[in-house]
Amino acid sequence: MTTLEMKEKRAAAQKKMEELLNGAKKESRALNADETAEFESLKEEVRMWTDRIDQLEDFLSKQKPQKKTSRKFSYVQAIRSLVENREFEAPEAEVSKVGARSSVRTGEGRSLFIPMEKRAALQATLAEQGIEDVATDLLDLVTPLENELIAARAGATFLAGLQGNIDIPFYTGTTAGWAGEVEAAADGSGKFKKKTLSPKRITGYVDLSRQLLIQSNDSIEAYIQSSLVEAVRQTLEGTMFSADDAADNKPAGLLNGVVAQTAAPTYGLLVDAETVLYKNNFRSLNWVGAYDALGILKKTEKVAGQPVYLYEGGLIDGRPVYGSNNVASKGLILGDFSELTIGQWGGIEVTVDPYTQALNGTVRLIVNAYFDYFVRRGYDKKGDGIVPFEKIILK
């Protein structure tokens, strides 16, 4: 067991101790007998891991240092290793090892597993070169992905690092009313419901030239990372904003079942959509639209004969607008995107195919990742009755 793994176990025990103390403090009481016993057991576990860590670190510090190197994880180095069918070097091996722990494996052969979340530096040991400290920065892919997702920018909740199916409960709300002095109160209780996020596979590919892989600098590393993130983003949002039906391996698109308008768009149509959501107490509203829909609105006057248009200055009726080619053609979505939850499992698995595009001098990276999403309150008008989105497909 590595020092890092021991420290993670010690930190987990310390966290449980804090939770016990905070729980009792919140209730303004002392620990009960069972909690006291558990607290003492955790304290002993922390002491044990501390002793083991001290012993291992003392042993390592006494080893005669030999050749010592330090470098960051490199996409280029990892891809070269896969193309040349050789073992990963220390930084790439350590990153892939951590990424594989939480990934949903597809079993497509030897792959690189890239963790999504940012983690602390790791220590790697190379027996054949003596004890060697290799500082490895695990890459943060969640942040750039979240920043690029139109839905997240519009307010959607992004849950990363999930394991297994996730049930998310929500409450439909409580009502109250007037009553006489001795009159019984009416039942105003709401209902608890839940929806489930389950991992669904997203797969895509990125082609890189072999000449590009000869290079080795920060800009190339950033380009490869952005390409992987973009491959996942395009697939995820391509489904999310589509009119596709749900299937076992993917959720339904937000525009699923929406019938195209038969009349030209009007200012009244847009205001009516806003009014429906206001009446259901949704306030944080944003527009997401296909570029062809936004183009129509840019050319449509609010009032005939007056040069004021439905979409001007990046706003529709004073509300922010996010455009995307992934929205179904002529589609517009107005809604409270905080009701949309996007879940992500594990890291990104990258499998290298050096053969398919060999004649073109390129290497294909096959990307696998696992996501799901749902709308908490309602998804369609047959659901919970309160729907946080009004969806339009223009004529």
Side-chain angles (χ1 to χ4, degrees):
M1 184 177 293
T2 66
T3 304
L4 176 64
E5 291 170 332
M6 292 182 188
K7 289 181 177 179
E8 287 178 342
K9 289 184 178 294
R10 181 176 65 179
Q14 290 171 328
K15 183 179 179 182
K16 289 180 182 177
M17 292 172 68
E18 291 177 5
E19 289 172 350
L20 286 172
L21 293 174
N22 290 337
K25 182 178 179 181
K26 186 177 180 180
E27 298 174 7
S28 301
R29 62 175 178 80
L31 296 176
N32 60 35
D34 290 340
E35 290 170 334
T36 300
E38 184 179 359
F39 186 86
E40 291 300 322
S41 175
L42 291 167
K43 185 192 293 185
E44 184 59 34
E45 183 179 344
V46 169
R47 187 180 298 113
M48 176 197 71
W49 288 122
T50 299
D51 289 343
R52 291 190 181 183
I53 291 167
D54 290 344
Q55 291 171 8
L56 181 56
E57 289 181 341
D58 181 62
F59 171 78
L60 294 176
S61 67
K62 293 176 181 177
Q63 305 305 303
K64 181 180 178 181
Q66 297 183 23
K67 179 182 177 183
K68 187 173 182 178
T69 62
S70 179
R71 70 169 177 83
K72 295 181 179 180
F73 166 86
S74 167
Y75 286 105
V76 171
Q77 292 291 344
I79 295 168
R80 284 178 187 167
S81 296
L82 290 171
V83 169
E84 297 168 8
N85 197 29
R86 55 183 171 82
E87 295 299 316
F88 291 132
E89 295 182 14
E92 291 72 45
E94 197 66 28
V95 168
S96 188
K97 178 181 177 182
V98 174
R101 289 175 189 163
S102 59
S103 292
V104 184
R105 303 185 184 217
T106 63
E108 292 187 356
R110 186 162 172 253
S111 301
L112 168 68
F113 294 90
I114 305 172
M116 290 287 287
E117 71 279 10
K118 193 172 182 66
R119 293 281 298 273
L122 299 178
Q123 301 297 315
T125 301
L126 300 182
E128 68 274 16
Q129 296 180 12
I131 303 301
E132 182 176 18
D133 295 329
V134 181
T136 302
D137 293 332
L138 294 187
L139 300 215
D140 177 11
L141 296 186
V142 167
T143 301
L145 177 60
E146 192 170 3
N147 289 343
E148 290 298 318
L149 283 171
I150 297 296
R153 288 160 57 191
T157 301
F158 193 93
L159 303 178
L162 302 180
Q163 295 184 7
N165 291 352
I166 304 295
D167 290 333
I168 297 183
F170 63 96
Y171 190 56
T172 59
T174 301
T175 60
W178 298 97
E181 183 178 356
V182 294
E183 185 179 354
D187 183 4
S189 62
K191 294 182 179 180
F192 281 100
K193 297 186 178 183
K194 70 176 181 179
K195 290 190 175 180
T196 301
L197 286 171
S198 59
K200 296 174 176 61
R201 180 185 173 203
I202 285 179
T203 184
Y205 64 84
V206 177
D207 288 337
L208 300 175
S209 72
R210 290 181 178 269
Q211 184 175 358
L212 184 72
L213 295 176
I214 296 172
Q215 310 297 317
S216 184
N217 58 59
D218 289 344
S219 63
I220 299 302
E221 297 291 329
Y223 173 76
I224 294 175
Q225 173 170 312
S226 65
S227 297
L228 297 175
V229 168
E230 185 67 5
V232 172
R233 184 187 76 85
Q234 290 288 349
T235 306
L236 178 59
E237 288 200 330
T239 300
M240 186 182 301
F241 294 137
S242 73
D244 293 354
D245 293 328
D248 290 340
N249 61 348
K250 71 173 184 179
L254 289 177
L255 287 167
N256 177 252
V258 178
V259 178
Q261 297 288 320
T262 57
T266 64
Y267 181 58
L269 173 70
L270 305 180
V271 172
D272 288 346
E274 182 180 83
T275 302
V276 169
L277 296 173
Y278 267 144
K279 287 175 66 177
N280 284 323
N281 294 315
F282 295 110
R283 296 288 185 267
S284 302
L285 307 181
N286 292 302
W287 288 93
V288 172
Y291 284 113
D292 54 1
L294 300 182
I296 292 172
L297 298 184
K298 276 186 175 182
K299 296 185 292 185
T300 303
E301 297 173 337
K302 275 189 176 182
V303 179
Q306 297 185 13
V308 180
Y309 299 91
L310 297 181
Y311 175 43
E312 282 192 323
L315 302 173
I316 295 176
D317 196 25
R319 298 200 172 278
V321 179
Y322 298 91
S324 173
N325 281 323
N326 286 320
V327 181
S329 180
K330 298 185 179 180
L332 287 170
I333 302 171
L334 173 66
D336 184 346
F337 280 84
S338 66
E339 294 288 330
L340 176 64
T341 300
I342 304 168
Q344 173 267 323
W345 283 258
I348 291 180
E349 178 186 357
V350 179
T351 304
V352 173
D353 174 8
Y355 308 111
T356 302
Q357 297 293 312
L359 292 177
N360 298 323
T362 60
V363 172
R364 174 159 292 179
L365 309 185
I366 302 167
V367 180
N368 290 293
Y370 290 81
F371 289 84
D372 194 12
Y373 60 83
F374 64 52
V375 177
R376 286 193 307 154
R377 290 185 287 176
Y379 194 84
D380 55 43
K381 294 185 179 180
K382 296 178 292 183
D384 302 314
I386 302 176
V387 184
F389 295 107
E390 281 296 298
K391 297 165 280 191
I392 304 167
I393 297 180
L394 299 179
K395 179 180 177 181

